[in-house]
Amino acid sequence: QVQLVESGGGLVQPGGSLRLSCVASGFTFNQYDMMWYRQSPGKERELIAVIRSDNSGGVAKYAGSVQGRFEISRDNGKNTMFLQMNDLKPEDTAVYYCNAECDDDDILDHSTCEHWGQGILVNVSS
């Protein structure tokens, strides 16, 4: 059973902070690239942060919209990924999704090794 479960969302005022968690099970967590996406009504799903697998050094990368405000991290011993969100803005309001993908460019079809959480709502409002 493969499962990704997000937690930590909710309502927060502009300028505030939240920390999202994604607990993974059913696959070899440290061999996967982990990602956070978000999606708001009327907008395309947006990749906002990536943290690479152990094989790729665990390097993090961010979309320009969150650069400097959000921090992605992972604890491989706990099979958990985090997203620390600071200085939140109303435009950060979205459903946030945890995503995992195997770190292997030779695999032609990644659908068998790509997993999604069900999403969690972050509502930034005053």
Side-chain angles (χ1 to χ4, degrees):
Q1 180 183 355
V2 173
Q3 192 171 38
L4 297 172
V5 180
E6 301 99 335
S7 63
L11 177 65
V12 64
Q13 295 183 0
S17 298
L18 284 176
R19 190 191 194 204
L20 303 183
S21 298
C22 172
V23 179
S25 60
F27 62 95
T28 309
F29 181 78
N30 70 339
Q31 297 181 10
Y32 277 65
D33 297 330
M34 298 297 298
M35 286 151 278
W36 286 102
Y37 286 81
R38 68 184 182 186
Q39 188 168 25
S40 299
K43 299 180 180 179
E44 293 188 357
R45 186 172 56 191
E46 177 190 16
L47 175 63
I48 59 170
V50 178
I51 186 163
R52 301 296 303 276
S53 71
D54 279 353
N55 189 57
S56 294
V59 176
K61 187 172 68 174
Y62 302 90
S65 56
V66 306
Q67 180 73 47
R69 298 188 297 120
F70 291 10
E71 292 185 66
I72 189 171
S73 61
R74 64 194 297 167
D75 184 338
N76 289 332
K78 297 181 178 179
N79 287 350
T80 304
M81 175 179 64
F82 305 95
L83 184 67
Q84 178 66 46
M85 305 186 294
N86 301 312
D87 192 24
L88 284 161
K89 305 176 184 299
E91 53 264 41
D92 294 319
T93 297
V95 175
Y96 285 71
Y97 295 91
C98 175
N99 172 266
E101 184 173 339
C102 52
D103 187 7
D104 189 345
D105 292 336
D106 292 328
I107 296 177
L108 297 180
D109 184 3
H110 280 69
S111 64
T112 60
C113 58
E114 183 181 37
H115 312 294
W116 289 88
Q118 293 185 341
I120 188 166
L121 178 64
V122 172
N123 188 0
V124 184
S125 176
S126 60

